């Protein structure tokens, strides 16, 4: 149990919250039906909190400036990152919830129960202020309920207040169909509110050490929406969504707010005077007039315009690249054929940073292909950020996962959306490695001796054999027993002749409806790498 919410707890809350949103991303996407069927609230929340997490991760060693408390410094980093990465109404409102929370909690020397209640009140007030026309039955309703629950607890006991806030938020979420007919018709709760409840439950877990037991919100069973860009809020009378960051003063922003309110709807402007950066979101028909209003107010940047009727975003050359770690010459050739910049296995931080800079791209995705290289890739990404390059590390742990990720890369998507798609493709690819034991050891599959054949699935030894072909066949059978449509085989530098052909023949006999792709990878130590998708 924690008595106060310190900086370390803030970081655990952000990490745990992001993990929870990712786990429930598809569920939240399916819940989002207000006011028209829409499937991107879960994705928007994940993108927003990912940016908050990145802001925290990039500032691990920075001490707070001036009079800032350590927990206040961490909360403001989290809020600032969320603001800069916010996408859609749900993301923008979440960023303002975090901003209000940070402003209030960061101003007190210790965040105990009553201070947490005050922070939630400030979070709700800031969120409502950010929305031009607040609607009940949404994320706003849920955050307001959380604040009321925290107030009613009326104690300095931090776990008690956190628990009361989370329970009241969950109860308010369950009532959202009573407030919005669209939710009632679909038989679901509000998507943004569901995301906030997940974050509050993680906060409870951080301060108590125990995860609250909550029933999952049932996803709707209606057919998936067509592949169009759709709106989270607003009237169908407006054809475009305009978003941009704006560097301006409060007076200029208020004048711009009046202009934009006359041009369209779904207007949200969030930010603060201390940073001088505002996130502007509006639905309009006159895109030029909306952007001109920003130019008059200050300096707009990161301008994004989306036409709701578009079937998909048009491909554009926006300075993107992929950097992939390849442990063998054949694998390097495969990745190079996919347009990636290749780095030899076991690179240093400096080598990866050099490769990122050599691409000349402003947005780079890094595929480390090995658990030990993942930390190096993250360090290189932080260094690249200081040079103005946006880098995302997709935690691939095998070259077969990198192949799956590269196969879905699409320059027509937003970079952040593309990174998510690549990460999902990599995560859906189970991987195995077959090698020879170098020494006697006790594994989870039993004892092995030097020279035994080991088959590792997802990094754990699952099979121990004496014959290479038999063990390779056995591990493929074990993996396909859990389902799969495509098997990728990558032979190593020490693979004997006929190994891949023998495995292919076995799959054709035993699993006739499974496709097999085989490549000569040339990697050391592992005669065979296996991927199953």
């Amino acid at each position: 149990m924690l008595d106060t919410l310190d900086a370390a707890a803030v970081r655990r809350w952000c990490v745990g919250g992001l993990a929870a949103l990712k786990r429930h991303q598809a569920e939240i996407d399916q819940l989002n039906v207000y006011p028209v069927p829409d499937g991107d609230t879960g994705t928007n929340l994940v993108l927003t909190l990912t940016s908050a997490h990145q802001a925290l991760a990039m500032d691990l060693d920075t001490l707070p400036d001036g009079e800032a408390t350590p927990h206040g410094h961490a909360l403001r980093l989290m809020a600032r990152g969320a603001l800069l990465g916010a996408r859609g109404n749900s993301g923008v409102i979440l960023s303002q919830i975090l901003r209000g929370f940070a402003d209030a909690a960061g101003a007190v020397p210790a965040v105990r129960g009553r201070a947490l209640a005050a922070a939630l009140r400030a979070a709700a007030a800031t969120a409502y202020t950010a929305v031009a026309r607040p609607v009940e039955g949404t994320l706003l309703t849920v955050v307001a309920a959380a604040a009321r629950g925290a107030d009613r607890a009326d104690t300095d006991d931090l776990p008690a207040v956190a628990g009361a806030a989370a329970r009241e938020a969950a109860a308010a979420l369950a009532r959202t169909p009573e407030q919005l007919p669209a939710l009632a018709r679909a038989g679901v709760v509000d998507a943004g509110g569901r995301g906030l409840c997940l974050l509050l439950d993680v906060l409870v877990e951080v301060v108590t050490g125990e995860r609250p037991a909550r029933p999952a919100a049932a996803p709707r069973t209606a057919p998936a929406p067509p592949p169009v860009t759709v709106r989270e809020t607003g009237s169908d009378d407006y054809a475009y969504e305009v978003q941009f960051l704006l560097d301006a003063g409060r007076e200029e922003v208020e004048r711009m707010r009046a202009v934009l309110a006359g041009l369209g709807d779904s207007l949200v402007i969030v930010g603060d005077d201390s940073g001088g950066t505002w996130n502007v979101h509006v639905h309009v028909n006159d895109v030029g007039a909306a952007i001109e209003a920003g130019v008059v107010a200050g300096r707009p940047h990161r301008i994004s315009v989306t036409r709701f009727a578009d079937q998909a975003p048009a491909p554009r050359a926006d300075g993107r690249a992929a950097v992939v770690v390849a442990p063998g010459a054949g694998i390097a050739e495969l990745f190079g054929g996919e347009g990636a910049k290749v780095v030899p296995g076991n690179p240093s931080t400096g080598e990866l940073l050099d490769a990122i800079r050599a691409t000349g791209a402003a947005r780079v995705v890094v595929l480390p292909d090995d658990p030990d290289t993942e930390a190096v890739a993250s360090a290189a990404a932080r260094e690249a950020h200081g040079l103005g390059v946006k880098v995302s590390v997709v935690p691939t742990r095998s070259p077969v996962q990198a192949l799956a990720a590269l196969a879905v890369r699409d320059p027509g998507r937003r970079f952040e959306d593309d990174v998510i798609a690549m990460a999902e493709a990599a995560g859906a690819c189970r991987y195995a490695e077959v090698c020879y034991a170098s020494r006697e050891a006790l594994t989870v599959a039993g004892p092995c001796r030097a020279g035994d054949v080991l088959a590792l699935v997802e990094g754990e030894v699952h099979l121990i054999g004496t014959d290479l072909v038999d063990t390779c066949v056995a591990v493929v059978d074990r993996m396909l027993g859990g389902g799969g449509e495509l098997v990728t085989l990558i032979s190593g530098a020490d693979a004997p002749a006929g190994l891949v052909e023998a495995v292919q023949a076995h799959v054709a006999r035993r699993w006739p409806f499974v496709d097999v792709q085989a490549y000569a990878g040339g990697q050391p130590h592992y005669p065979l790498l296996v991927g199953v998708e």
Side-chain angles (χ1 to χ4, degrees):
M1 293 275 188
L2 295 180
D3 294 328
T4 63
L5 188 69
D6 57 16
V10 170
R11 295 183 187 281
R12 292 199 300 275
W13 181 33
C14 186
V15 171
L18 179 56
L21 287 175
K22 286 182 176 179
R23 286 196 302 272
H24 295 272
Q25 181 177 337
E27 169 203 321
I28 297 173
D29 280 344
Q30 292 182 61
L31 287 174
N32 193 46
V33 296
Y34 169 72
V36 294
D38 182 323
D40 61 0
T41 295
T43 300
N44 286 342
L45 291 175
V46 167
L47 288 173
T48 301
L49 207 60
T50 295
S51 182
H53 175 254
Q54 289 173 343
L56 276 172
M58 291 173 189
D59 209 76
L60 279 173
D61 300 322
T62 299
L63 295 175
D65 297 326
E67 299 300 318
T69 58
H71 65 269
H73 179 66
L75 285 168
R76 288 188 178 109
L77 283 173
M78 187 175 169
R80 176 74 172 168
L83 169 64
L84 297 180
R87 180 69 178 173
N89 276 351
S90 56
V92 171
I93 294 172
L94 176 61
S95 76
Q96 291 312 285
I97 290 172
L98 294 175
R99 176 196 153 199
F101 191 99
D103 287 347
V108 297
V111 183
R112 296 186 172 87
R114 289 185 175 86
L116 176 61
L120 287 170
R121 286 198 306 272
T126 305
Y128 270 89
T129 302
V131 178
R133 299 180 184 90
V135 176
E136 296 304 326
T138 65
L139 174 55
L140 296 173
T141 305
V142 177
V143 70
R148 288 194 300 272
D151 273 336
R152 280 198 289 266
D154 194 23
T155 175
D156 264 335
D157 185 314
L158 180 65
V161 172
R167 287 192 297 274
E168 191 60 38
L173 176 68
R175 293 192 297 268
T176 54
E178 301 170 13
Q179 298 169 292
L180 282 175
L183 299 177
R185 287 193 298 270
V188 297
V189 296
D190 178 69
R194 170 64 171 151
L196 180 63
C197 284
L198 289 172
L199 294 180
L200 291 173
D201 282 347
V202 171
L203 179 61
V204 172
E205 184 177 0
V206 167
V207 300
T208 67
E210 298 179 358
R211 179 175 299 178
R214 308 271 189 222
R220 61 192 171 106
T221 57
V228 298
T229 303
V230 289
R231 67 193 77 221
E232 285 184 337
T233 62
S235 166
D236 289 339
D237 293 341
Y238 299 103
Y240 297 92
E241 177 188 59
V242 178
Q243 286 197 122
F244 53 84
L245 297 180
L246 178 70
D247 296 337
R250 179 173 291 277
E251 290 184 4
E252 291 80 6
V253 168
E254 291 306 317
R255 286 195 291 270
M256 179 190 67
R257 186 191 300 272
V259 173
L260 293 179
L263 291 175
D265 70 1
S266 196
L267 174 61
V268 181
I269 303 174
V270 296
D272 56 60
D273 293 322
S274 61
T277 300
W278 307 77
N279 192 317
V280 181
H281 172 283
V282 66
H283 294 177
V284 296
N285 287 324
D286 192 339
V287 174
I291 296 174
E292 183 180 353
V295 172
V296 170
R299 186 180 74 88
H301 52 106
R302 291 197 194 178
I303 299 171
S304 170
V305 178
T306 302
R307 188 165 73 96
F308 292 118
D310 286 346
Q311 292 296 310
R316 67 187 191 282
D318 64 348
R320 299 190 197 179
V323 172
V324 192
V325 178
I331 295 175
E333 187 175 344
L334 284 174
F335 292 154
E338 294 288 340
K341 174 74 174 176
V342 179
V343 180
N346 196 29
S348 67
T349 300
E351 289 168 339
L352 270 180
L353 181 60
D354 288 344
I356 291 168
R357 296 178 65 184
T359 65
R363 298 177 178 86
V364 179
V365 60
V366 177
L367 308 176
D369 292 355
D370 179 84
D372 294 332
T373 306
E374 188 176 335
V376 176
S378 296
R382 288 193 293 271
E383 293 296 318
H385 178 82
L387 300 173
V389 182
K390 185 173 185 177
V391 178
S392 290
V393 179
V394 174
T396 51
R397 300 197 158 203
S398 170
V400 294
Q401 289 189 320
L403 285 174
L406 290 172
V408 301
R409 192 163 55 132
D410 181 359
R413 282 191 291 244
R414 271 198 336 135
F415 176 71
E416 292 83 357
D417 296 339
D418 211 28
V419 169
I420 289 175
M422 294 174 73
E424 289 177 343
C429 178
R430 289 167 287 147
Y431 68 93
E433 304 145 315
V434 182
C435 63
Y436 291 101
S438 59
R439 59 179 177 83
E440 184 176 333
L442 183 62
T443 74
V444 294
C448 71
R449 296 171 296 182
D452 281 349
V453 182
L454 306 179
L456 295 83
V457 179
E458 309 284 334
E460 290 284 356
V461 177
H462 275 227
L463 295 171
I464 301 172
T466 56
D467 181 84
L468 179 62
V469 174
D470 289 348
T471 306
C472 289
V473 165
V475 74
V476 170
D477 281 345
R478 177 166 294 194
M479 295 177 75
L480 286 174
E485 299 173 353
L486 173 66
V487 173
T488 301
L489 305 174
I490 301 180
S491 59
D494 300 325
L499 172 64
V500 169
E501 290 78 8
V503 177
Q504 284 180 299
H506 172 81
V507 172
R509 290 192 303 271
R510 178 79 182 273
W511 310 93
F513 299 107
V514 173
D515 293 328
V516 181
Q517 295 178 343
Y519 307 100
Q523 70 275 4
H525 312 307
Y526 297 99
L528 190 67
L529 302 177
V530 181
V532 173
E533 301 172 59

